[in-house]
Amino acid sequence: EHPDVSTSLNTLACFNESQGRYEDAEPRYVDAFEMRKKLLGDEHPSVATSLNNLAFLYSSQGRYEDAEVLQQKSLEIHRQVLGENHPSFAISLANLASLYVQKGDFSEAESFLYQALQIFQQVVGPEHPYTKETFNRLINLIATAIQANQADTLSDHPITQDLIPKIHAALESQTE
């Protein structure tokens, strides 16, 4: 019972998941989570990471409700322990946004991405990979909403409204 063991379990679970061996990954993620919780306490960032990893597994299996509960818990741990201006909190927001994209809740996903983007721009700067990745997630969200004929559910945020016609044109040119 050492934190390094939980890290190894988590790494092995990630490997199993990448191979599509979800039935092997889930118990390892759960064991890593429970070990971290026992060793580090309920409100430790590593516990939040374990919740996040298990949530990703569930979302890849289409278990969105289970994934959402875990993502929300991960977000709350990061909020309580690290604060709302910490990159890990912003990562949790972006991860939750990805789940909402998978569920087809584009407006909720967009809101979380803008929150994450604002934090990243303020804390690590506009050129940081986290900021750029989050902006790319926003572009992908808009493209997905357009393809699902739900661009009208997106906000009137100036960036969104600027990107919609550009992404729409790019998507149309791909189909020609």
Side-chain angles (χ1 to χ4, degrees):
E1 294 196 9
H2 189 276
D4 289 349
V5 174
S6 68
T7 300
S8 295
L9 283 169
N10 191 68
T11 301
L12 185 56
C14 287
F15 180 70
N16 292 150
E17 183 179 3
S18 72
Q19 293 179 318
R21 295 174 38 209
Y22 303 132
E23 68 284 346
D24 294 330
E26 184 175 4
R28 290 186 173 114
Y29 277 137
V30 170
D31 289 347
F33 163 70
E34 290 180 358
M35 187 178 293
R36 285 176 172 170
K37 189 174 172 181
K38 179 180 176 184
L39 295 171
L40 305 171
D42 291 347
E43 296 182 1
H44 190 278
S46 292
V47 172
T49 298
S50 286
L51 289 169
N52 181 67
N53 292 340
L54 190 55
F56 269 115
L57 174 70
Y58 289 162
S59 67
S60 67
Q61 294 174 314
R63 295 169 58 184
Y64 301 126
E65 307 315 317
D66 294 332
E68 185 174 1
V69 169
L70 298 180
Q71 288 283 14
Q72 292 280 2
K73 285 181 183 178
S74 176
L75 180 68
E76 191 54 34
I77 290 169
H78 282 129
R79 178 192 325 269
Q80 289 176 0
V81 176
L82 303 172
E84 292 187 7
N85 289 320
H86 194 279
S88 292
F89 178 73
I91 290 169
S92 287
L93 287 168
N95 289 341
L96 190 55
S98 294
L99 175 64
Y100 283 120
V101 170
Q102 287 180 303
K103 290 176 61 173
D105 189 346
F106 303 120
S107 63
E108 194 73 22
E110 180 189 20
S111 173
F112 286 123
L113 283 176
Y114 275 120
Q115 290 176 57
L117 193 58
Q118 181 179 5
I119 294 166
F120 287 138
Q121 286 174 334
Q122 291 174 353
V123 176
V124 297
E127 297 303 316
H128 192 278
Y130 288 167
T131 308
K132 290 180 177 185
E133 178 186 343
T134 303
F135 189 75
N136 286 335
R137 285 185 184 197
L138 178 64
I139 290 170
N140 290 333
L141 158 70
I142 294 169
T144 303
I146 290 169
Q147 291 170 325
N149 293 319
Q150 293 189 29
D152 61 332
T153 66
L154 299 175
S155 75
D156 60 355
H157 192 287
I159 294 173
T160 297
Q161 293 306 311
D162 180 56
L163 287 173
I164 287 174
K166 293 174 182 172
I167 295 170
H168 196 328
L171 290 170
E172 283 184 352
S173 71
Q174 289 177 354
T175 59
E176 293 176 355

